[in-house]
């Protein structure tokens, strides 16, 4: 019996893990809890790492694999713990060459320059921070490390820049200080030594169709097991849905992105880990731009793999973590297409009501193949929740399966109407 540890394991993820081949010979254990690792707003990396070590050390049995599917700090803690125990894991330096947004861009310029948009680093606390940016408007600014898209802003003029910087300055250290303690564990290139974990990056705005290959490198063998389409809302600022498999990106463009991913990961020496990479394809010009690399499977993709391929992508993550060659079935699931649709609220508010378990169960029963997960509770103020973007607030997600993409969109609209939320937008 193999003991597999999963930091921040949820009930939904446990079900997805139990779908993988050979799961009857595995025992899945949560390592620390979701609230401590994912829902936390201020990260104390050393404290979390110490608590995870202590919890593993107290386990009476073998620790055979540790997998991650959450962003920082889990994306660093899990492979560090695995490496300490001699289990397969990427090196810390290769992880940071993906996780540190500016360091990653520098390494991308060395290996895949044809897909790198314009960028530059800047100190968000500098009085002349705007003078450090060499890009023309519009551009994005974001910390070199943050929760999801938290503290990311599109800037079109000087006033917007200083307004965004005010918010960044007030919150960046919540994660940046913890990231700094990780950076101290490796030898940094000269370009990064003075920046620290609370630096920011400005990046050229790129537009088009966004998509994401997900794959792994196991024992030096690179492989991709799925490609996702990432669709934005009508305003073009927030992702409102993912779909699998992608129907809007030609095979040739997908192959270019996959080749770019392989070349970059080989360049930084990334091995014995999973990844997902995000690209933007401009259909008019044919230009392909790399957005970022994530050093894990995406937990957002798991349910969609299960619906289309019959098993979750945990099958790959577990195989890699056990030192085995990963294998994924193709099209063995119940549905031809699957999607993850966001549930958004556009204004800051205090949550007064969310659908209860029985209501959600009824919705899922009326629409077979549907899974509803909520990230809020009554009493929550939306703007104070971690991992939110700067434009609208995420309440949860709806996972769907269907025969085609049009049917799936219609199904989502019906389900959204059936979910009853309440908000107080006047309460301060």
């Amino acid at each position: 019996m193999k003991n597999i540890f999963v930091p921040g394991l949820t009930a939904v993820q446990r079900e997805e893990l139990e779908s993988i081949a050979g799961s009857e010979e595995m025992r899945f254990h949560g390592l620390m809890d979701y609230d401590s690792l994912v829902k936390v707003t201020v990260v104390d990396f050393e404290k979390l790492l110490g608590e995870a070590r202590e919890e593993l050390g107290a386990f009476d049995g073998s620790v055979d694999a540790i997998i991650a599917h959450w962003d920082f700090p889990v994306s660093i803690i899990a492979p560090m713990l695995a490496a300490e125990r001699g289990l397969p894991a990427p090196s810390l330096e290769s992880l940071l060459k993906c996780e540190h947004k500016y360091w990653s861009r520098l390494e991308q310029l060395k290996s895949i320059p044809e897909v790198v948009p314009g960028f530059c680093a800047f100190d968000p606390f500098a009085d002349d921070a705007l003078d450090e940016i060499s890009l023309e408007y519009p551009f994005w600014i974001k910390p070199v490390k943050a929760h999801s898209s938290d503290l990311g802003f599109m800037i079109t003029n000087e006033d917007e820049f200083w307004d965004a910087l005010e918010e960044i300055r007030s919150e960046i250290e919540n994660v940046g200080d913890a990231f700094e303690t990780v950076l101290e564990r490796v030898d940094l290139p000269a370009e990064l030594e003075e920046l620290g974990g609370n630096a920011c990056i400005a990046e050229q705005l790129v537009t088009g169709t966004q998509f994401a290959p997900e794959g792994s490198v196991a024992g030096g063998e690179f492989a991709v097991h799925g490609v996702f389409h990432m669709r934005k809302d009508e305003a073009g600022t927030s992702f409102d849905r993912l779909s699998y498999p992608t129907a809007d990106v030609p095979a040739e463009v997908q192959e270019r992105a996959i080749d770019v991913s392989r070349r970059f990961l080989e360049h930084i020496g990334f091995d014995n880990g999973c990844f997902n990479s995000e690209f933007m394809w401009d259909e008019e010009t044919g230009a392909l731009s790399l957005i970022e690399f994530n050093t894990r499977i995406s937990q957002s993709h798991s349910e969609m793999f299960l619906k289309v391929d019959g098993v979750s992508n945990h099958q790959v993550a577990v195989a890699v973590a056990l030192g085995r060659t990963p294998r994924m079935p193709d099209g063995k699931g119940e549905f031809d297409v699957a999607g993850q649709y966001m549930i958004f609220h556009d204004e800051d508010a205090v949550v007064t009501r969310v659908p209860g378990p029985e209501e959600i169960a009824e919705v899922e029963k009326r629409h077979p193949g549907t899974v509803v997960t909520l990230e809020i509770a009554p009493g929550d103020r939306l703007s104070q929740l971690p991992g939110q973007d700067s434009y609208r607030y995420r309440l949860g997600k709806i996972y769907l399966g269907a025969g085609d993409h049009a049917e799936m969109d219609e199904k989502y609209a019906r389900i959204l109407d059936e979910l009853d939320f309440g908000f107080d937008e006047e309460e301060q």
Side-chain angles (χ1 to χ4, degrees):
M1 186 70 69
K2 297 292 186 182
N3 292 302
I4 316 297
F5 284 81
V6 187
L9 180 64
T10 67
V12 170
Q13 291 157 358
R14 184 179 292 278
E15 291 180 9
E16 293 164 349
L17 279 159
E18 290 172 352
S19 76
I20 71 176
S23 62
E24 67 279 0
E25 299 175 357
M26 302 174 187
R27 184 173 291 120
F28 303 108
H29 307 269
L31 179 61
M32 303 186 66
D33 61 82
Y34 173 88
D35 286 352
S36 298
L37 292 170
V38 183
K39 206 171 182 180
V40 62
T41 54
V42 180
V43 177
D44 185 334
F45 184 84
E46 296 296 341
K47 179 175 181 289
L48 293 173
L49 180 62
E51 290 175 353
R53 281 180 178 144
E54 184 177 348
E55 191 171 323
L56 280 179
F59 179 69
D60 184 18
S62 63
V63 177
D64 300 298
I66 305 171
I67 66 170
H69 49 211
W70 298 112
D71 199 359
F72 184 81
V74 174
S75 56
I76 296 293
I77 287 176
M80 282 184 65
L81 292 172
E84 289 173 1
R85 291 176 169 266
L87 300 173
S91 68
L92 180 57
E93 184 172 301
S94 70
L95 290 166
L96 290 174
K97 286 179 178 178
C98 293
E99 299 253 340
H100 189 299
K101 294 184 184 299
Y102 183 59
W103 195 358
S104 190
R105 288 302 193 195
L106 294 176
E107 295 301 324
Q108 292 162 24
L109 277 183
K110 298 175 184 177
S111 56
I112 50 173
E114 71 275 16
V115 296
V116 182
F119 69 95
C120 58
F122 68 96
D123 178 0
F125 295 100
D127 292 337
D128 60 348
L130 187 57
D131 294 337
E132 298 179 24
I133 297 176
S134 56
L135 304 176
E136 299 292 331
Y137 298 116
F139 53 80
W140 285 96
I141 62 171
K142 63 192 76 170
V144 295
K145 172 51 63 181
H147 282 303
S148 186
S149 58
D150 198 20
L151 299 182
F153 299 88
M154 185 173 69
I155 306 299
T156 64
N157 58 55
E158 183 174 346
D159 288 342
E160 288 181 357
F161 176 81
W162 292 114
D163 288 343
L165 211 59
E166 183 177 356
E167 186 169 342
I168 288 174
R169 286 170 172 172
S170 69
E171 299 182 28
I172 189 172
E173 293 172 335
N174 293 348
V175 174
D177 285 352
F179 195 54
E180 176 68 25
T181 68
V182 179
L183 295 176
E184 291 171 355
R185 297 172 179 267
V186 299
D187 294 326
L188 295 174
E191 303 97 314
L192 272 68
E193 287 181 350
E194 300 301 321
L195 287 176
N198 290 305
C200 283
I201 185 171
E203 295 181 327
Q204 173 190 344
L205 183 68
V206 293
T207 58
T209 299
Q210 191 160 343
F211 65 104
E214 181 177 288
S216 62
V217 186
E221 293 296 320
F222 173 92
V224 166
H225 52 264
V227 180
F228 286 74
H229 181 201
M230 308 170 70
R231 290 194 284 179
K232 287 190 173 182
D233 57 17
E234 293 182 0
T237 56
S238 300
F239 289 105
D240 62 1
R241 66 198 68 181
L242 299 172
S243 57
Y244 173 68
T246 179
D248 299 313
V249 181
E252 178 271 332
V253 177
Q254 294 182 44
E255 288 302 319
R256 284 167 58 196
I258 290 169
D259 178 64
V260 163
S261 300
R262 176 189 57 77
R263 287 158 49 205
F264 176 71
L265 294 175
E266 286 180 354
H267 167 73
I268 65 172
F270 183 88
D271 197 5
N272 296 319
C274 296
F275 73 91
N276 62 88
S277 48
E278 298 178 15
F279 291 86
M280 191 76 78
W281 170 59
D282 188 322
E283 186 174 359
E284 293 185 2
T285 66
L288 186 67
S289 300
L290 173 65
I291 298 173
E292 65 179 3
F293 276 89
N294 298 300
T295 56
R296 52 185 165 74
I297 62 168
S298 172
Q299 56 87 24
S300 295
H301 297 168
S302 300
E303 183 68 24
M304 289 179 278
F305 276 116
L306 185 58
K307 293 183 185 307
V308 174
D309 295 325
V311 299
S312 123
N313 52 352
H314 289 93
Q315 178 150 309
V316 173
V318 170
V320 173
L322 288 170
R324 301 172 180 174
T325 301
R327 295 281 186 269
M328 264 306 260
D330 184 17
K332 304 298 184 183
E334 183 180 355
F335 300 96
D336 294 327
V337 299
Q340 177 212 78
Y341 290 69
M342 303 296 183
I343 308 171
F344 283 122
H345 190 72
D346 289 332
E347 302 294 333
D348 189 19
V350 173
V351 180
T352 58
R353 187 188 191 283
V354 300
E358 293 183 359
E359 294 173 77
I360 291 175
E362 283 297 318
V363 169
E364 293 175 344
K365 183 178 179 181
R366 284 195 296 271
H367 305 279
T370 297
V371 176
V372 178
T373 63
L374 300 183
E375 303 172 24
I376 59 170
D380 285 345
R381 175 166 286 281
L382 298 178
S383 61
Q384 296 176 358
L385 296 174
Q388 298 287 356
D389 66 30
S390 306
Y391 300 94
R392 62 201 312 200
Y393 304 98
R394 188 178 65 249
L395 311 181
K397 302 169 184 175
I398 302 173
Y399 294 92
L400 301 171
D404 57 43
H405 291 276
E407 177 191 340
M408 193 161 60
D409 286 346
E410 293 172 1
K411 195 172 181 180
Y412 163 69
R414 292 197 302 271
I415 293 170
L416 197 59
D417 285 341
E418 296 173 13
L419 295 173
D420 186 16
F421 294 90
F423 304 95
D424 183 350
E425 296 181 355
E426 300 298 326
E427 183 176 333
Q428 299 297 319

